[in-house]
Amino acid sequence: MNKDIEKVLTKLRINAPRYSRAERYYNGDHDLSFATEKFQSTFGTLFREFALNLCPIVCEAVRDKLRLTGFSLEADKSNDEDLTQSREQNSEGVTHLARRIWRRNRMGTRSGELHKEALRNGDAYAIVWPDAAGNAVIFPNRARNIAVIYDDEEPGRIALAAKCWPVDKYLRLNLFYPDRIEKYISSDETSGSMPDASGFAPLRAKGEAGVVPNPYGVVPVFHFANNADLGSSGRSELEPAFAIQDGLNKSVLDMLVAMEFAAFRQRWVAGIEVARDDDGNVTTPFAAGVDHLWIAENAEARFGDFAGSDLVQFLKVKDSFRLDIASVTGTPLHYFMQNTTGLPSGESLKKAETRFLAKVRDRQESFGQVWADIMSFALAAEGRGPDVTLLTSWEDPAPLAEREFLENILLKKKIGLPVEQALIEAGYGAEDVKEMVR
């Protein structure tokens, strides 16, 4: 039995329920087994899949701030002027090629898909490999199809990775090593269940090699681990919100029951003779409704009603769950609740988003390292060499307003910033600045 196959299959089995739950909650398929019998008997299946789903907001709030703007070469700290000048000249060519690879693989859109997968499931993966023409191709992959094993002696380095996916009625399995890629296929047809390691045999398909050399020295599988511990799987942004989302759904379902049974003012009557049916059971003498008038012949009869349930309390409970989700996930409360009292000031929004922006910058740092590794590998696959070290650039998640930005430049000018530098920081090009300061 191949021990490496058994390792990755075990990890795939362990991760599958975790990914499935995160995807269900993101899509609004929540657990509603706590619904009361009265709710089930009243509404049947009408609201069986009802959910006030706030889970997408938790992920999308972070994803919207993760906008990658490009790559640059890591700064050279060498004192050799000739070497520094050569590196600067090479930098333009390398970054231009990186932009070409990025655009060719349509990563402007697909990078957002990878970020969404990582934020929702905790993990996302990309595989990079050259095509027949030698062009680097970036393959985004679903978390459920990939497993990685980290090197115990070198934390953060992937020693083994695997991809398992269905092809017709069989399962394909690729093992990725730093020096080779091994390909396997299930020996028998599968019905959706994953066989053990003995159920896979080396691939012997016509026109496809069972073992492919990997000349790059690193595993070509790259792991986006969201909020992960060192060398471990990531955590879904939704994980702290699962139980609170269930409580929110419960409060809404209870409010629906109250609206059906308790919000309507129940009437009562006293001082009349009680009517009974043939079996001796008490029968209701009146039918409630806006088109019915209650009349009694007995002059002593009295009518009244009970107060309806106060649904405001249900709304308060519902809003408290919104506050709890915002608190445990670090998402600003105004993402969940519409402000009906007026728009908050820019300064108050900054204070409210301090923790959230810290989380976004943390994700930019961790995801940015993976993107830099991906593009460095892609450049190596296209012959630029393995010694290229890139840095990932992101759009500022909390940009200054234009007025505030210009006011800051004016303040810098007052304390001695040259006019030329002030204009450059204002967004004008170097050639335009030369013309403006003549």
Side-chain angles (χ1 to χ4, degrees):
M1 182 187 299
N2 189 318
K3 292 183 179 180
D4 286 343
I5 293 181
E6 189 59 40
K7 283 182 184 178
V8 296
L9 292 182
T10 299
K11 193 151 194 178
L12 286 169
R13 293 190 190 99
I14 291 174
N15 287 336
R18 184 164 59 90
Y19 297 150
S20 177
R21 187 184 188 194
E23 290 177 0
R24 286 195 303 104
Y25 270 74
Y26 183 91
N27 294 328
D29 182 12
H30 304 159
D31 298 327
L32 297 179
S33 58
F34 48 73
T36 62
E37 291 184 4
K38 178 162 284 190
F39 176 85
Q40 293 175 349
S41 63
T42 304
F43 297 104
T45 59
L46 181 60
F47 293 109
R48 187 64 190 86
E49 298 181 1
F50 177 86
L52 183 58
N53 190 14
L54 299 183
C55 291
I57 299 175
V58 176
C59 295
E60 298 304 324
V62 182
R63 181 193 176 192
D64 290 345
K65 299 287 187 179
L66 297 177
R67 298 189 180 276
L68 197 150
T69 58
F71 300 91
S72 60
L73 279 179
E74 187 175 16
D76 188 4
K77 298 180 181 180
S78 173
N79 294 323
D80 189 328
E81 294 184 3
D82 293 336
L83 182 61
T84 301
Q85 183 178 3
S86 174
R87 184 175 178 85
E88 289 176 351
Q89 293 173 351
N90 185 51
S91 173
E92 185 176 351
V94 169
T95 53
H96 177 71
L97 180 57
R99 285 195 298 271
R100 266 189 5 197
I101 295 173
W102 186 265
R103 288 195 299 266
R104 188 175 64 235
N105 285 275
R106 300 183 179 181
M107 296 310 296
T109 298
R110 305 179 83 187
S111 62
E113 295 171 356
L114 273 168
H115 294 157
K116 176 181 177 180
E117 181 80 2
L119 295 167
R120 179 183 60 195
N121 290 359
D123 301 298
Y125 301 89
I127 299 175
V128 186
W129 199 251
D131 60 14
N135 296 320
V137 182
I138 303 172
F139 301 93
N141 280 263
R142 300 290 299 275
R144 64 173 67 250
N145 294 336
I146 304 288
V148 294
I149 306 294
Y150 281 89
D151 192 334
D152 292 333
E153 297 181 358
E154 188 177 342
R157 176 179 175 271
I158 296 176
L160 167 65
K163 178 177 180 179
C164 186
W165 74 103
V167 177
D168 296 329
K169 297 181 180 180
Y170 295 86
L171 281 179
R172 279 287 309 274
L173 176 68
N174 285 359
L175 297 183
F176 298 87
Y177 296 91
D179 61 347
R180 69 192 186 279
I181 301 173
E182 297 180 359
K183 300 181 180 182
Y184 298 86
I185 190 168
S186 58
S187 305
D188 302 312
E189 295 183 3
T190 59
S191 58
S193 60
M194 187 178 296
D196 57 22
S198 61
F200 285 90
L203 181 66
R204 306 188 190 282
K206 184 178 180 181
E208 188 172 0
V211 178
V212 177
N214 176 7
Y216 305 107
V218 296
V219 174
V221 179
F222 301 88
H223 181 197
F224 294 86
N226 183 66
N227 194 27
D229 295 327
L230 188 63
S232 65
S233 299
R235 295 183 59 200
S236 169
E237 291 290 334
L238 304 179
E239 189 174 317
F242 287 146
I244 302 174
Q245 177 67 67
D246 287 343
L248 174 62
N249 292 341
K250 176 66 164 58
S251 69
V252 175
L253 298 180
D254 286 346
M255 184 173 67
L256 293 176
V257 174
M259 290 169 61
E260 177 71 14
F261 289 98
F264 182 77
R265 299 173 71 88
Q266 299 293 315
R267 271 63 173 178
W268 57 264
V269 58
I272 64 173
E273 185 177 351
V274 177
R276 297 179 182 274
D277 59 19
D278 296 338
D279 296 327
N281 299 319
V282 176
T283 61
T284 303
F286 303 106
V290 295
D291 57 343
H292 291 83
L293 180 64
W294 290 9
I295 300 174
E297 296 180 353
N298 189 343
E300 301 297 326
R302 293 177 292 112
F303 297 90
D305 56 22
F306 298 104
S309 293
D310 185 7
L311 297 181
V312 173
Q313 299 303 318
F314 290 97
L315 296 176
K316 289 181 178 179
V317 172
K318 181 167 65 71
D319 288 344
S320 72
F321 282 121
R322 293 174 184 264
L323 178 62
D324 291 337
I325 290 181
S327 176
V328 301
T329 63
T331 308
L333 183 60
H334 59 264
Y335 279 71
F336 298 103
M337 300 181 68
Q338 184 177 4
N339 190 336
T340 59
T341 60
L343 295 176
S345 66
E347 193 63 31
S348 62
L349 280 177
K350 285 183 180 179
K351 291 181 180 179
E353 293 187 350
T354 300
R355 179 186 170 199
F356 172 66
L357 291 175
K359 179 172 72 169
V360 170
R361 291 190 172 97
D362 175 79
R363 304 304 185 266
Q364 287 181 340
E365 182 68 25
S366 60
F367 291 175
Q369 292 177 7
V370 181
W371 280 121
D373 291 341
I374 287 174
M375 296 308 297
S376 296
F377 186 95
L379 290 168
E382 295 199 359
R384 295 301 301 211
D387 57 343
V388 174
T389 304
L390 296 177
L391 297 176
T392 306
S393 301
W394 299 91
E395 184 179 291
D396 187 354
L400 295 175
E402 185 175 359
R403 180 187 179 93
E404 189 176 4
F405 175 73
L406 293 174
E407 287 176 346
N408 286 344
I409 292 177
L410 290 175
L411 289 174
K412 290 180 181 179
K413 184 175 178 298
K414 285 184 178 180
I415 61 175
L417 181 72
V419 175
E420 293 86 349
Q421 183 61 33
L423 290 172
I424 289 174
E425 291 190 11
Y428 295 99
E431 295 299 324
D432 294 331
V433 170
K434 290 180 180 179
E435 294 291 330
M436 295 169 68
V437 298
R438 278 184 177 180

